[in-house]
């Protein structure tokens, strides 16, 4: 198999442990170049991670003949621009989640890559984790019978913002992120539900800003209807007294309870009782998805997270938030 030589655009925090080392540790994969607008920070990252090249210009990395494929790990506001430039250069694209700020940007990215004949992958890495594939296996094998509904609850303490700070974290600046923490965190859950239960056909939501720490939404409720007939409800709050994360998929013969984040045991409950299933996530949590991308690029498998599925998750989030941003 050919060694896929990767370049990273935007070597920030997410690349330090979650993704960057995954490109180096995956089989037939090598990280050879990184880019940040601050060239000194790019150089520092490269030296610390033994990466031979660094840039302060994304186009130079994209057009480097030694770079076979590009991972875009910038804020979502820049995903579309860089993905299209990669497509024009004929290079496969792996883009962070959420895939873009909105559904239309996702469609533009999908069309550009399709027209250029290059694959487009999205970093919804839970699709490749053993933990979530076990949940999918339990459901597909009928352990809880026919699935009836799913409930999602996520609440977190408010984001820490320094008093009188003039700079907000990019994740709560809609112009950069597309929304607030809902897009950053709920996207993982909505995408994994798409993977486990099938596409969401229709979504409706209410969003608000209760803590007034920033302009983006900090509380969201949603109703979901899946193509399979499964129904769903979710609530996400980012100004609560504590942190909590729980999903329940309920069927005709039992239920499965699990967290999206963290490695708490999966709980399978049927009339016979409750079984606890512990599956620990890998340290470099994106490595298994990266491996599936490398394998597909070598014609040896299929990556489960691509532009089409990533676009579906953005469409659902757009529907949930549309009234909030229409009023804003």
């Amino acid at each position: 198999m050919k060694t896929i030589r990767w370049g990273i655009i935007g070597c920030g925090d997410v690349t330090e442990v979650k993704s960057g080392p995954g490109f180096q540790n995956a089989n037939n994969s090598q990280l050879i170049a990184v880019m940040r607008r601050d060239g000194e920070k790019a150089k520092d990252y490269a030296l610390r991670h033994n990466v031979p090249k660094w840039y302060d210009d994304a186009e130079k990395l994209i057009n480097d003949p030694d770079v076979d494929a590009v991972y875009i790990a910038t804020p979502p506001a820049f995903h579309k621009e860089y993905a299209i430039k990669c497509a024009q250069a004929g290079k496969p694209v792996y883009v962070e989640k959420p895939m873009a700020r909105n559904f239309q940007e996702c469609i533009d990215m999908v069309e550009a890559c399709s027209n250029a004949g290059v694959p487009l992958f999205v970093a919804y890495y839970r699709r490749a984790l053993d933990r979530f594939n076990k949940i999918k296996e339990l459901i597909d094998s009928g352990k809880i019978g026919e699935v009836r509904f799913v409930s999602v609850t996520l609440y977190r303490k408010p984001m820490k913002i320094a008093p009188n700070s003039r700079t907000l974290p990019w994740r709560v600046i809609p112009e950069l992120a597309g929304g607030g923490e809902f897009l950053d965190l709920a996207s993982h859950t909505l995408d994994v539900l798409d993977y486990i239960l099938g596409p969401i056909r229709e979504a409706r939501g209410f969003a608000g800003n209760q803590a007034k720490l920033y302009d983006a939404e900090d509380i969201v409720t949603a109703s979901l209807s899946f193509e399979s007939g499964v129904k769903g409800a979710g609530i996400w709050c980012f100004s609560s007294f504590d942190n909590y994360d729980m999903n329940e998929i309920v069927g005709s013969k039992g239920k499965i309870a699990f967290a999206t984040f963290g490695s708490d045991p999966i709980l399978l409950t049927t009339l016979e009782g409750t079984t606890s299933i512990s599956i620990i996530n890998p340290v470099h949590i994106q490595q298994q998805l990266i491996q599936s991308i490398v394998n597909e690029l070598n014609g040896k498998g299929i990556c489960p997270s691509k532009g089409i599925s990533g676009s579906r998750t953005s469409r659902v989030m757009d529907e949930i938030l549309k009234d909030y941003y229409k009023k804003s």
Side-chain angles (χ1 to χ4, degrees), residues 131-304:
R131 173 181 175 82
F132 295 94
N133 278 300
K134 181 62 177 179
I135 296 168
K136 182 171 174 58
E137 174 194 314
L138 292 171
I139 290 172
D140 291 347
S141 64
K143 292 294 184 182
I144 64 169
E146 296 180 1
V147 178
R148 301 302 191 210
F149 69 91
V150 58
S151 66
V152 176
T153 303
L154 177 74
Y155 54 82
R156 289 198 168 188
K157 296 176 183 179
M159 180 178 286
K160 292 183 179 179
I161 299 173
N164 303 317
S165 173
R166 296 182 180 180
T167 305
L168 289 169
W170 66 260
R171 286 177 173 83
V172 293
I173 301 175
E175 292 79 10
L176 293 176
E181 289 186 273
F182 175 76
L183 264 75
D184 185 40
L185 299 177
S187 60
H188 274 298
T189 304
L190 292 168
D191 185 81
V192 85
L193 292 178
D194 177 291
Y195 177 58
I196 293 170
L197 301 177
I200 296 167
R201 182 184 64 214
E202 189 175 4
R204 299 174 184 173
F206 294 93
N209 185 318
Q210 295 177 323
K212 311 298 183 187
L213 297 174
Y214 39 75
D215 292 333
E217 78 291 342
D218 65 9
I219 187 164
V220 179
T221 62
S223 295
L224 310 171
S225 182
F226 292 75
E227 290 182 2
S228 63
V230 172
K231 304 303 179 185
I235 184 161
W236 297 264
C237 178
F238 302 102
S239 62
S240 179
F241 78 105
D242 202 359
N243 298 327
Y244 181 77
D245 171 18
M246 183 56 62
N247 311 300
E248 285 192 332
I249 300 175
V250 179
S252 59
K253 296 181 179 179
K255 69 176 182 177
I256 300 171
F258 62 96
T260 300
F261 307 96
S263 298
D264 293 339
I266 301 161
L267 299 179
L268 169 64
T269 301
T270 65
L271 294 176
E272 285 73 42
T274 298
T275 302
S276 177
I277 305 168
S278 293
I279 301 175
I280 303 301
N281 291 327
V283 173
H284 308 303
I285 203 163
Q286 291 198 27
Q287 185 173 333
Q288 289 174 226
L289 186 67
I290 291 167
Q291 188 67 66
S292 76
I293 295 171
V294 170
N295 291 348
E296 178 169 330
L297 293 177
N298 274 299
K300 299 294 184 181
I302 299 294
C303 173

